[in-house]
Amino acid sequence: MMGADAGEGATARPTTTVNPLSCEKLPNVPGHSITTALVEFPPNAYTPRHRHPGSVTAFVIKGALRSQMEGGPAVTYSQGQTWFEAPGAIHSFAENASATEPAELLAIFVAEDDCGPLTIPLTD
């Protein structure tokens, strides 16, 4: 989930913006932290194939998002719905289901406590 255009030329689509809100060490899980981030999807936004360094729970705050985990079907999540991504799982894509309205989600990451990058882009 970077912040540049996905694709090239006329087919380029805006991508998401990840805004970390907090990162705290977990005192009951040594070596791990919990990071909370607001992820903004402009209209028609698209995030290509990626993974995360730990577990992720996503909660749709506004709009509708279409998401697909590798090996599973694409699913559309509406405001108030959630999904979970296990450590190392491949996220095939995520996109705003609307070409005209923005969408937002709250992402909660549990990973090693360096509070480093939250998204690891993947190429084929």
Side-chain angles (χ1 to χ4, degrees):
M1 296 181 192
M2 281 121 336
D5 285 342
E8 296 179 7
T11 61
R13 294 173 67 179
T15 61
T16 57
T17 301
V18 179
N19 299 304
L21 303 172
S22 69
C23 182
E24 304 292 332
K25 290 186 178 193
L26 291 170
N28 62 330
V29 185
H32 287 78
S33 64
I34 184 166
T35 301
T36 304
L38 179 65
V39 185
E40 298 172 319
F41 288 75
N44 201 38
Y46 179 82
T47 298
R49 191 170 183 261
H50 65 278
R51 68 179 180 82
H52 303 284
S55 299
V56 182
T57 296
F59 175 82
V60 180
I61 296 172
K62 177 168 76 173
L65 299 167
R66 209 164 147 254
S67 177
Q68 183 176 24
M69 301 306 295
E70 190 169 81
V75 178
T76 300
Y77 298 93
S78 299
Q79 183 176 344
Q81 292 185 303
T82 67
W83 73 84
F84 176 78
E85 299 179 31
I90 305 297
H91 198 160
S92 298
F93 74 89
E95 66 183 352
N96 188 336
S98 173
T100 59
E101 298 295 323
E104 293 181 351
L105 68 83
L106 185 67
I108 300 168
F109 301 81
V110 176
E112 293 183 7
D113 65 7
D114 64 0
C115 296
L118 301 174
T119 302
I120 301 163
L122 299 174
T123 58
D124 293 327

